[in-house]
Amino acid sequence: MPKEKLTAGEARRIALGAQGFATPRPEGPIARRQLTKLIDRLGVVQIDSVNVVSRTHYLPAFSRLGPYPREMLEEVAWGKKRPLFEYWAHEASLLPLASQPLFRWRMADAHDGVGTWKGVARFLRERRDFVDKVLEAISTRGPMSASELEMGQKGEGGWWGWSDAKRAVECLFWTGELTTATRRGTFERVYGLPEKVLPRAVIETPTPTREDAHRELYRQAIRAMGVATAKDLRDYFRMPVEGAKQRIAELVEDGALLPVTVKGWREPAYLDPAARWPRKVDARALLSPFDNLIWFRERTEKMFGVRYRIEIYVPAHKRTHGYYVLPFLEGDALTARVDLKSDRKAGVLIVQASHAEPWASDETPVRLAEELKLMAGWLGLERVRVERRGDLAGALGKAVG
């Protein structure tokens, strides 16, 4: 019988184990089944277009598995026999195909103008005739990108500057009437009808009730997190507050969630009854700002004692740690953070700034240097260059050599 009280260290190691950091990286080439198994375990991988280092959806697998062929992710995400699909889960996301029916409630809400961006709801309401014409065009002509739809007014970028066609396909993506057929070029989404893009077995899967779908998503969330508060559980798939308390109570009653307290946590927590209890975690990983382990900043702070924020939208002179900062997981702690940039033309991974956490050791820059070199090689870059900004820069520069 699991304990009802956990130390902060136990909770942290359980969480790291659930996220795939408690086992050594595989030796030798990574197989497709290892990648898909990892994504099944995580339940969701966030997509983001920022490409300063690498687009974020490539990074969680590298952090856990080590260097794997980047095209392998593209195959499982957008290939002909892919096991993943795109939808709004934790922001724009890649998810296992089996999860598609679990999000039909969100698609139905979007169709009714609920739970979407305000611009989506307004466009669906005010321009439904145009939206239907776009849907008919893709139904007749097959998968198309927004730029190929020569319909409506042109745009200038951003939601309010999108073309009418782009707004329409994004609305239809929210409602589930369109899905991603593939990506091409500079990460451009190509839209297609779900019944022509997704496997028949997925399309024909009965739609679960809203309540059943929510319970299953909470089950997936606790398996992926190991231990979590109610707020953590809601955040993983961005679940609505309404009904959350009741669904969680039902899962507690069913034994799918075990109530626990964690020393230092202000809120009650829940434990996955099947969670591993690693005695030690010896991980080394650079984490994307949108990695599942740290994407909920409040959880990151209570779990690791680190206040982490992404500063992309902060004016340069006001940034504390840099533009695109990746925390360094060393053992079971976040010991450093580095502001990285891939200079693809020069073949260099640039460490624009590097900072140590108070508990970093003399080994931290050595281990971080090894991970940076590993990442550079995986990205097809020839070397790592450390700039002189940050309190770790001197030691890290020496370790990089």
Side-chain angles (χ1 to χ4, degrees), residues 30 252 265 354 363:
I30 305 300
V252 169
W265 291 20
S354 48
E363 290 299 313

Side-chain angles (χ1 to χ4, degrees), residues 38-334:
L38 172 63
I39 296 174
D40 284 343
R41 177 181 197 159
L42 297 176
V44 56
V45 173
Q46 185 172 336
I47 299 171
D48 191 84
S49 61
V50 176
N51 199 22
V52 178
V53 181
S54 168
R55 290 194 172 94
T56 186
H57 42 279
Y58 294 97
L59 289 169
F62 169 75
S63 299
R64 293 157 176 81
L65 300 176
Y68 72 99
R70 290 157 60 84
E71 61 270 18
M72 186 183 291
L73 179 66
E74 295 163 9
E75 291 171 5
V76 300
W78 301 293
K80 289 184 179 180
K81 294 184 178 180
R82 61 183 183 267
L84 307 180
F85 80 106
E86 283 188 43
Y87 191 59
W88 290 98
H90 186 97
E91 301 296 333
S93 303
L94 289 169
L95 303 119
L97 277 169
S99 295
Q100 196 270 354
L102 300 177
F103 287 92
R104 291 177 187 165
W105 61 271
R106 181 166 285 166
M107 297 171 187
D109 281 359
H111 196 277
D112 296 335
V114 178
T116 64
W117 299 338
K118 291 181 180 179
V120 170
R122 185 178 301 112
F123 199 79
L124 280 168
R125 183 175 64 251
E126 297 176 355
R127 301 291 303 279
R128 187 69 220 193
D129 287 347
F130 178 76
V131 171
D132 287 342
K133 288 179 181 177
V134 168
L135 183 60
E136 177 61 26
I138 292 176
S139 178
T140 302
R141 298 166 59 186
M144 302 173 69
S145 66
S147 62
E148 292 173 313
L149 285 160
E150 296 179 355
M151 304 170 65
Q153 295 182 356
K154 303 298 181 182
E156 298 175 356
W159 170 258
W160 297 114
W162 277 353
S163 68
D164 286 350
K166 177 61 174 176
R167 294 190 191 192
V169 290
E170 284 298 314
C171 288
L172 291 164
F173 182 80
W174 264 104
T175 64
E177 293 168 88
L178 290 179
T179 190
T180 305
T182 190
R183 293 267 190 172
R184 66 185 178 208
T186 57
F187 204 52
E188 184 179 33
R189 182 185 279 154
V190 178
Y191 303 83
L193 299 179
E195 57 268 29
K196 294 184 179 180
V197 171
L198 303 180
R200 179 181 295 182
V202 172
I203 297 299
E204 293 181 351
T205 298
T207 300
T209 65
R210 185 185 186 94
E211 293 76 17
D212 284 346
H214 285 198
R215 279 189 289 267
E216 178 54 30
L217 289 171
Y218 282 128
R219 288 189 189 98
Q220 290 187 17
I222 193 61
R223 284 197 295 268
M225 286 189 283
V227 59
T229 66
K231 193 180 293 186
D232 296 336
L233 288 169
R234 289 201 312 270
D235 178 77
Y236 204 75
F237 291 109
R238 296 292 167 88
M239 303 296 286
V241 174
E242 183 179 356
K245 188 174 182 180
Q246 185 175 351
R247 300 291 85 77
I248 290 172
E250 291 162 354
L251 290 170
V252 169
E253 186 175 351
D254 290 345
L257 295 174
L258 300 179
V260 294
T261 59
V262 178
K263 187 175 181 180
W265 291 20
R266 295 180 180 179
E267 300 173 356
Y270 302 92
L271 176 70
D272 173 15
R276 294 179 55 201
W277 288 59
R279 293 184 178 181
K280 183 179 180 181
V281 174
D282 191 25
R284 295 185 196 179
L286 287 160
L287 303 174
S288 158
F290 308 109
D291 190 287
N292 306 47
L293 182 67
I294 59 169
W295 62 23
F296 188 25
R297 310 308 187 203
E298 182 179 312
R299 176 176 169 86
T300 302
E301 190 163 354
K302 74 189 173 199
M303 188 80 68
F304 296 101
V306 171
R307 188 179 187 276
Y308 172 63
R309 298 291 186 274
I310 191 165
E311 298 179 284
I312 287 176
Y313 303 110
V314 176
H317 68 281
K318 292 185 178 181
R319 292 179 193 138
T320 303
H321 296 102
Y323 180 78
Y324 199 78
V325 175
L326 282 70
F328 178 52
L329 175 65
E330 179 186 1
D332 66 355
L334 299 181

Side-chain angles (χ1 to χ4, degrees), residues 70 343-344 346-348 374-383:
R70 290 157 60 84
D343 186 338
R344 298 172 181 89
V348 180
L374 190 70
M375 174 178 276
W378 173 64
L379 293 172
L381 305 173
E382 297 174 1
R383 61 190 179 92

Side-chain angles (χ1 to χ4, degrees), residues 319-322 325 336-339 351-357 365 368 386-398:
R319 292 179 193 138
T320 303
H321 296 102
V325 175
R337 54 184 101 188
V338 284
D339 179 20
V351 184
Q352 300 186 116
S354 48
H355 295 84
E357 302 299 341
L368 177 54
V386 180
E387 303 291 354
R388 294 183 178 180
R389 182 175 173 230
D391 57 16
L392 192 59
L396 182 59
K398 290 179 182 178

